Amino acid sequence: MREDGRLVLAGAPIGQAGDVSPRLRDVLRSADVVAAEDTRRLRRLAADLGVEIGGRIVSYYDANEAGRAQELIETLKEGRTVVVITDAGMPGVSDPGYRLTRLAVEEGVTVTALPGPSAVTTALAVSGLPSDRFCFEGFPPRKQGERARRLASLAAEERTMVFFEAPHRLRESLEAMAGAFGPDRSAAVCRELTKTYEEVRRGGLAELAAWAAGGVKGEITVVVAGHVPDEGPPDVEALVAEVDRRVAAGEQRKAAVADVAKAAGMPKRDLYDAVHKRSTTP
């Protein structure tokens, strides 16, 4: 019977080395192979943590991901533990890791994750935008036409959206979002999360694009509010019925009209006229 190894997808800190868990320290010491997006950053992280990596270190980044994944699968089949770690965040989320995970699943190799800090959920939490439902859209396309088409397809998306973007493309991406979603759509630009110069800018997309025109540096995560569907004109008959119900329960008509109109976003004079017309109609 073949005894397969274990693939561990390890979340790396997005800024502060102190955010890592004791489990990450342990797995870096004990793994047979550590596949790193940047081996120099891995060694620097290990030094910051006071950890000596016990296994073999190999590079695993975009350019060599396909070939290296097959090599690592063979290592896993030998019963070894392979850890994948990227520069920041979780492998496979806009970072190398998906291909190897897919191959491991197909081969029946055990895949597990060592959770860690995430720029996606961190930005969502500090944005001040609704977080009960959200979607992650990764990096917008670099080419203007492709980016415009992608954003246009998201114009009716009602969930809060989270994007990554390079600092030198931030202004043009925010301008494109303003064109697709509207200049006043609420958003937050989260820069250098958890780091010394962390900054969160909140406002409308056009306002944020103007700010970004002055130049922005660092790691960027953009959070954009979802589309709010137009509910159309209020159902006046239903509002009049609600006022009648409140009046029958003992509430003053003037107060009932004011409360119901305010909740419906309707001028109270219009609702009062409808109530009055209803009361005088035989």
Side-chain angles (χ1 to χ4, degrees):
M1 179 178 178
R2 188 181 80 183
E3 293 187 6
D4 286 339
R6 186 173 62 126
L7 173 63
V8 182
L9 305 172
I14 60 177
Q16 298 291 333
D19 289 340
V20 305
S21 69
R23 287 183 61 207
L24 179 59
R25 289 180 167 89
D26 291 343
V27 78
L28 290 177
R29 290 189 185 102
S30 62
D32 298 296
V33 177
V34 180
E37 183 178 13
D38 186 323
T39 58
R40 291 170 299 180
R41 287 199 182 191
L42 171 63
R43 290 189 171 92
R44 188 160 58 246
L45 174 62
D48 290 342
L49 300 176
V51 171
E52 184 174 346
I53 298 174
R56 181 166 58 99
I57 298 174
V58 299
S59 61
Y60 183 66
Y61 55 97
D62 289 338
N64 75 350
E65 184 178 7
R68 185 73 81 189
Q70 190 59 54
E71 174 188 323
L72 293 172
I73 282 293
E74 298 306 316
T75 300
L76 287 162
K77 289 181 179 180
E78 294 170 0
R80 314 232 177 231
T81 296
V82 174
V83 173
V84 174
I85 187 167
T86 60
D87 293 346
M90 183 60 67
V93 181
S94 287
D95 276 324
Y98 169 75
R99 288 185 175 89
L100 178 57
T101 301
R102 185 69 256 166
L103 283 174
V105 170
E106 291 172 356
E107 292 288 344
V109 173
T110 298
V111 179
T112 187
L114 198 165
S118 166
V120 176
T121 52
T122 302
L124 183 67
V126 302
S127 69
L129 297 172
S131 57
D132 53 334
R133 297 177 66 236
F134 72 95
C135 59
F136 174 59
E137 289 295 326
F139 285 89
R142 297 184 182 187
K143 294 183 178 180
Q144 182 178 356
E146 293 178 7
R147 182 173 57 235
R149 286 190 290 273
R150 173 75 62 79
L151 295 176
S153 73
L154 295 170
E157 174 58 67
E158 297 180 19
R159 295 172 294 180
T160 299
M161 297 168 282
V162 183
F163 299 86
F164 287 160
E165 189 51 285
H168 62 280
R169 290 195 298 270
L170 179 62
R171 177 189 58 79
E172 59 188 45
S173 282
L174 289 171
E175 288 176 346
M177 290 177 187
F181 306 147
D184 297 324
R185 178 80 70 92
S186 295
V189 175
C190 306
R191 187 180 72 84
E192 295 289 88
L193 287 169
T194 79
K195 300 177 185 178
T196 301
Y197 298 105
E198 175 179 294
E199 180 180 19
V200 180
R201 285 270 181 168
R202 304 174 181 89
L205 284 167
E207 175 188 349
L208 291 172
W211 163 75
V216 179
K217 296 180 179 180
E219 300 288 334
I220 304 292
T221 306
V222 180
V223 185
V224 182
H227 169 67
V228 178
D230 183 3
E231 298 180 353
D235 184 341
V236 177
E237 287 299 316
L239 299 181
V240 170
E242 175 62 14
V243 171
D244 290 344
R245 184 191 67 76
R246 292 190 179 203
V247 171
E251 189 173 345
Q252 293 293 318
R253 176 178 290 179
K254 184 177 180 180
V257 168
D259 283 350
V260 172
K262 182 177 180 180
M266 178 181 183
K268 63 181 180 180
R269 168 53 60 183
D270 292 349
L271 180 56
Y272 182 83
D273 289 345
V275 170
H276 179 70
K277 181 179 180 181
R278 172 77 168 269
S279 65
T280 58
T281 301

